Amino acid sequence: MFNDRWLLLDDPNVGLLFPADAIARAKHYLSMTSGGLGAMYSFPQMRLPPKAIEAAKKARKVPDVFYCLKLVEATGISTVPGSGFGQKEGVFHLRTTILPAEEDMPAIMSSFKKFNDEFMEQYEESRGYSRM
């Protein structure tokens, strides 16, 4: 479900669900404590289809790097591949830094969801990989 109340969907493969007002509260708290704007980070795990992993290998990229590059090319949303943080072999993550104004979040998350759904559809043989 994606609406005014939730910024990310409750997907057991992604594991993120943020109440919309949590971003505003966190930004308010961070601005009070640091004297400036703050950010929130998330580090979701992704279940990438075997075809996506193969496409990444053909492109000479680590699979999560491949995903993050495709994401930024398609949407302008910049993320950091989890492989840069020493994740386990065969496990894929990305790190997001949530910086935009609260009113921009629904459009950004809609764009992220659209990209992810299209990416998974392009590379999966059957459902069961990370969907938002």
Side-chain angles (χ1 to χ4, degrees):
M1 185 168 81
F2 184 77
N3 60 36
D4 297 3
R5 297 185 56 218
W6 302 105
L7 295 177
L8 293 172
L9 303 179
D10 187 15
D11 181 315
N13 296 316
V14 178
L16 296 173
L17 181 67
F18 291 114
D21 64 344
I23 300 293
R25 286 195 313 266
K27 284 186 173 183
H28 176 72
Y29 173 76
L30 289 169
S31 68
M32 289 188 320
T33 59
S34 66
L37 294 177
M40 288 181 54
Y41 300 92
S42 64
F43 200 64
Q45 181 177 350
M46 301 178 295
R47 292 185 57 224
L48 296 175
K51 284 184 177 181
I53 295 168
E54 269 308 306
K57 287 179 184 176
K58 286 181 184 174
R60 297 183 179 177
K61 303 286 183 209
V62 176
D64 58 356
V65 172
F66 181 76
Y67 180 94
C68 291
L69 289 172
K70 294 288 188 185
L71 174 64
V72 75
E73 289 168 6
T75 67
I77 297 171
S78 179
T79 57
V80 179
S83 54
F85 297 94
Q87 64 193 5
K88 291 181 186 177
E89 181 73 28
V91 177
F92 308 108
H93 295 81
L94 62 82
R95 186 185 83 176
T96 63
T97 305
I98 303 169
L99 294 170
E102 184 178 359
E103 61 271 10
D104 296 335
M105 285 300 293
I108 291 167
M109 293 315 303
S110 178
S111 177
F112 199 155
K113 178 187 181 333
K114 180 178 185 286
F115 165 79
N116 186 74
D117 289 348
E118 290 171 355
F119 180 92
M120 294 302 166
E121 188 174 307
Q122 177 181 354
Y123 292 107
E124 71 184 355
E125 294 171 2
S126 62
R127 285 201 170 265
Y129 296 94
S130 293
R131 295 288 184 143
M132 292 186 181

